Amino acid sequence: MINQKIILADDEERWRLIVHDFLDNEGYSVLEAADGSQAVRLLRENPDVSLVILDVMMPVMDGIAACTEIRTFSRVPVLMVTARGDEETEISAMRCGADQFISKPIKMRAFMERVRSLLRRAGTREVLRFGRLEIDLASNEVLADGEPLSLTPKEYDLLLFLAQTPDTVRSREQILHAVWNTDYYGDGRTVDTHVKNLRMKLGDCGSLLRTVRSRGYMLESGK
């Protein structure tokens, strides 16, 4: 049993039902969304999702905007689907962080092969490496110079959030939103304190966790 979760976002209910049936028959667990904002919320609530399938043209939040938002907190593979097969739309999909792009009407066998290909590729990225720092996504274990670290859940979530977009500065507001969720009303000092503690625990690898004055924090790729 594959038992991998897939988010399927499209405002056309009939199309969702058809694709849902194909995915279900392959053994995948499907979470449906009728617009991009629902897809983003589902992913935040289900961080173990293995793939997100987004239609480009959706109400409330379209697929391009949803993918852009997803890339602020997740590296989950994204397959973009659209009835508009023009080059400009495809370029926009790639620029927002989508991994693959397919036009409607889709050929289901080719579509399913793209799904399987993206899931196989995602399965090979179970360990994130930044120089001598490693994050094992399967076990949630962090190693620095080969030694396991004892991190609090928030310290781990903070590190993982920065690790998902290496060499990219994240503001304190973005970190609060992603790590403490939108219901948390703390201030930037909470982030500063956790970053300080995390940097100490990382030891020599703590130099990878950089403070960018007046902007926020980033994790260097270590390359």
Side-chain angles (χ1 to χ4, degrees):
M1 189 68 174
I2 296 175
N3 200 30
Q4 290 175 294
K5 289 184 182 178
I6 296 176
I7 292 176
L8 175 63
D10 195 298
D11 60 326
E12 295 182 31
E13 184 177 5
R14 181 174 177 274
W15 191 86
R16 289 203 315 270
L17 290 174
I18 293 172
V19 177
H20 189 147
D21 284 345
F22 273 91
L23 294 171
D24 186 66
N25 288 337
E26 290 286 327
Y28 300 109
S29 177
V30 183
L31 305 175
E32 291 190 29
D35 58 62
S37 64
Q38 290 181 14
V40 172
R41 186 176 71 249
L42 280 173
L43 182 58
R44 289 189 182 278
E45 295 172 351
N46 300 270
D48 57 337
V49 162
S50 300
L51 174 67
V52 177
I53 301 172
L54 294 173
D55 183 59
V56 171
M57 302 298 292
M58 290 187 291
V60 184
M61 177 186 284
D62 64 28
I64 301 296
C67 184
T68 300
E69 176 69 16
I70 286 170
R71 284 293 172 257
T72 67
F73 67 91
S74 176
R75 295 177 66 183
V76 64
V78 173
L79 174 59
M80 197 75 75
V81 184
T82 183
R84 297 172 55 187
D86 58 282
E87 185 179 19
E88 183 177 345
T89 302
E90 183 172 358
I91 291 174
S92 296
M94 295 300 104
R95 284 179 174 172
C96 76
D99 295 271
Q100 287 196 26
F101 178 93
I102 189 168
S103 299
K104 295 179 179 178
I106 63 173
K107 296 179 179 179
M108 196 54 66
R109 287 181 60 188
F111 174 78
M112 291 303 301
E113 186 52 45
R114 292 199 186 200
V115 168
R116 286 188 286 267
S117 174
L118 284 171
L119 289 171
R120 285 195 300 269
R121 189 188 309 172
T124 65
R125 297 202 304 258
E126 293 184 351
V127 178
L128 303 179
R129 293 182 174 85
F130 306 88
R132 293 170 289 131
L133 178 67
E134 296 182 0
I135 305 173
D136 189 323
L137 300 181
S139 64
N140 294 336
E141 186 177 42
V142 178
L143 294 91
D145 291 320
E147 295 295 323
L149 304 180
S150 178
L151 304 182
T152 68
K154 287 302 182 191
E155 288 168 350
Y156 176 83
D157 290 344
L158 170 60
L159 178 62
L160 183 59
F161 175 66
L162 296 175
Q164 288 169 336
T165 53
D167 300 319
T168 301
V169 179
R170 294 300 181 192
S171 68
R172 291 169 175 81
E173 291 75 16
Q174 288 176 319
I175 295 172
L176 280 170
H177 180 75
V179 177
W180 279 267
N181 72 58
T182 54
D183 295 325
Y184 184 82
Y185 295 100
D187 58 30
R189 287 174 295 182
T190 298
V191 177
D192 296 339
T193 299
H194 279 76
V195 169
K196 179 181 178 181
N197 293 339
L198 177 58
R199 187 179 281 131
M200 290 178 60
K201 290 185 178 181
L202 292 177
D204 291 341
C205 293
S207 60
L208 295 170
L209 186 52
R210 285 192 53 209
T211 301
V212 181
R213 187 179 296 275
S214 301
R215 294 180 61 193
Y217 299 98
M218 65 179 285
L219 185 70
E220 292 185 330
S221 60
K223 296 180 179 179

